[in-house]
Amino acid sequence: MKNLLGSSIKDLEDIAINYGHAAFRGRQIYKWIYNYRNKKKNIDQIEILPYDFRKKLKDEGFKVGELGFKERYLANDGTLKLLLATNDNEGIECVGIPTEKRLTACLSSQVGCPMDCKFCATGKEGLKRSLKAGEILDQILFIENEMDRKVTNIVFMGMGEPLLNIDELLLSIRSINEDFQISQRKITVSTVAIPKMIKKLSTKSFQILGKCQFTLAISLHASNQKMREMIIPSASNYDIKNIIEDCRQFVKDTGRRVSFEYLMLSGVNDKLEHANELSDLLRGFQCHVNLIQYNQIDEVEYKRVSLKNLQLFQSRLFNNGIAVSFRKSRGLDKNAACGQLRQNAKNK
Ligand code: SF4
């Protein structure tokens, strides 16, 4: 199957020419896919194309998008979580997070994940495979169609480790930026951090996209190496100090500040001594810490931190001169955490 989603205007012009049509037919397909972000996602619906060209595209196996709908879960606060099916019948999750002015799409980059973070339902299953760029982009169309709104912001914080799928990640970012017309500055790539890959991300981004303006968010979740390895066993091959060094270089290379995600786990990483240790690690560095309240899942013993403790931790970081904010968990009821909808569907 050939997925037209993710094709550039030039790709689509070439397809039209290859099938004996004028280049403008490719531009018509482009407009149909991206400008209208058509709900039906069916080549038959591109009525502006001659019938024989539509038929040829279908006969040759072209499609617009390749995911299927499986389940939806709407939380009380309007956050919509979708479980979608791939062609090989795997389930992947994506989430639409609305505010008055924004619709943020939280996208998956892999089916499952090899990183085995101890707090995460997705990590329990291991990696099945990486997603293709077209499958990543299809999640945006599903969210827009289900919520009847344009997506304005993208975060790669769903299932998977994006830096282990870097080529398809960057291909999807190209399309999100150029075709979906969402500025790179409104895209966040979140990673647990893989040795050598932070440098590779900026280098490849400049090579492939000509710029690197998206936000890099590191899932740090700890103030020292020992604690980090306990929460994220795969972190044992990348010392926390080396991660910070590589992030400092990323800031120099791109001019973009780095964001550090810190999931507050009650009794584990939430003490004021940890806030001080984290401040020492990050001092003098163009960065920002995002504190997150944990969405508890059944199979994991970690507990949600109290709001009072979170605020004390936040104040300590702030008083230590660290830029810090608190991200409220959205969709705070069952199925809110990454991987839970897929897990529940499998258990049924
Ligand atoms: S938190 Fe992210 S990186 Fe860690 S196991 Fe879950 S999906 Fe993978």
Side-chain angles (χ1 to χ4, degrees):
M1 193 186 73
K2 301 158 194 165
N3 191 351
L4 293 173
L5 198 57
S7 301
S8 67
I9 198 160
K10 170 84 173 52
D11 295 335
L12 294 170
E13 285 175 348
D14 288 346
I15 288 171
I17 291 165
N18 284 343
Y19 287 99
H21 292 269
F24 81 88
R25 293 294 185 195
R27 295 197 287 280
Q28 287 175 328
I29 301 174
Y30 185 88
K31 211 167 172 182
W32 188 88
I33 295 177
Y34 298 112
N35 289 17
Y36 310 140
R37 306 213 192 145
N38 205 295
K39 288 188 168 117
K40 300 215 168 66
K41 303 207 301 177
N42 184 337
I43 287 175
D44 280 325
Q45 306 289 329
I46 318 178
E47 288 173 351
I48 198 162
L49 295 182
Y51 173 78
D52 66 328
F53 186 25
R54 276 183 275 157
K55 182 167 183 315
K56 188 76 189 162
L57 288 173
K58 281 195 309 177
D59 290 348
E60 293 288 326
F62 284 102
K63 283 203 170 166
V64 182
E66 55 190 283
L67 299 178
F69 178 85
K70 258 186 148 173
E71 272 183 38
R72 58 178 269 149
Y73 178 77
L74 183 64
N76 293 334
D77 63 2
T79 299
L80 180 72
K81 191 162 197 173
L82 297 176
L83 181 65
L84 305 173
T86 61
N87 271 333
D88 47 353
N89 207 24
E90 293 291 349
I92 57 165
E93 293 182 1
C94 58
V95 185
I97 307 155
T99 62
E100 201 184 323
K101 294 196 177 142
R102 291 178 179 185
L103 176 56
T104 301
C106 177
L107 306 181
S108 292
S109 55
Q110 297 185 305
V111 181
C113 182
M115 302 311 288
D116 194 26
C117 301
K118 289 299 166 211
F119 51 82
C120 172
T122 301
K124 304 238 155 287
E125 289 186 70
L127 175 70
K128 297 277 172 169
R129 69 171 174 87
S130 289
L131 293 176
K132 291 173 278 168
E135 293 173 306
I136 294 172
L137 297 167
D138 212 0
Q139 298 170 54
I140 303 175
L141 288 189
F142 268 97
I143 289 170
E144 290 188 339
N145 291 344
E146 289 291 319
M147 299 184 87
D148 204 18
R149 256 178 94 172
K150 288 263 183 281
V151 163
T152 58
N153 295 65
I154 302 283
V155 292
F156 284 93
M157 291 185 181
M159 298 166 68
E161 165 50 61
L163 298 197
L164 291 178
N165 189 18
I166 193 166
D167 291 328
E168 298 297 316
L169 170 78
L170 290 173
L171 283 175
S172 70
I173 290 179
R174 184 214 63 74
S175 185
I176 290 166
N177 183 215
E178 292 176 14
D179 308 326
F180 285 75
Q181 297 280 304
I182 298 172
S183 143
Q184 265 202 24
R185 288 173 182 270
K186 295 187 173 175
I187 301 171
T188 298
V189 176
S190 175
T191 173
V192 161
I194 312 288
K196 299 193 171 56
M197 293 306 282
I198 294 174
K199 180 71 186 168
K200 193 167 177 183
L201 180 67
S202 60
T203 305
K204 278 202 150 197
S205 180
F206 281 115
Q207 281 167 355
I208 295 172
L209 310 174
K211 57 188 173 183
C212 183
Q213 293 179 341
F214 49 79
T215 298
L216 174 66
I218 305 288
S219 300
L220 203 64
H221 309 323
S223 54
N224 60 59
Q225 179 63 14
K226 197 167 162 221
M227 181 196 293
R228 194 161 193 266
E229 283 182 34
M230 196 178 76
I231 302 170
I232 309 170
S234 60
S236 60
N237 62 357
Y238 198 4
D239 192 89
I240 196 165
K241 293 200 172 105
N242 294 338
I243 294 176
I244 304 302
E245 267 320 297
D246 290 349
C247 287
R248 285 181 201 272
Q249 189 58 46
F250 185 88
V251 173
K252 280 187 200 148
D253 291 344
T254 65
R256 302 280 293 157
R257 82 174 177 175
V258 172
S259 186
F260 291 99
E261 307 286 313
Y262 197 97
L263 190 65
M264 300 286 293
L265 302 169
S266 181
V268 178
N269 63 1
D270 61 338
K271 299 195 174 62
L272 292 180
E273 69 201 57
H274 301 137
N276 288 336
E277 196 173 33
L278 186 62
S279 307
D280 290 343
L281 200 61
L282 302 180
R283 197 161 279 121
F285 175 36
Q286 197 185 338
C287 69
H288 173 264
V289 175
N290 213 350
L291 301 177
I292 308 160
Q293 257 186 325
Y294 181 51
N295 278 329
Q296 272 173 237
I297 57 175
D298 290 342
E299 320 87 79
V300 172
E301 81 272 21
Y302 290 133
K303 297 276 175 291
R304 192 179 177 79
V305 76
S306 70
L307 197 56
K308 184 171 164 257
N309 279 3
L310 192 146
Q311 283 164 344
L312 285 172
F313 195 93
Q314 182 176 14
S315 300
R316 179 60 61 92
L317 285 179
F318 180 79
N319 292 334
N320 286 344
I322 303 296
V324 56
S325 60
F326 160 42
R327 191 170 79 220
K328 273 198 176 150
S329 291
R330 295 289 304 265
L332 184 56
D333 28 33
K334 72 186 172 79
N335 296 327
C338 167
Q340 276 183 284
L341 204 57
R342 172 182 154 91
Q343 196 65 50
N344 293 349
K346 283 181 100 179
N347 292 342
K348 271 181 200 166

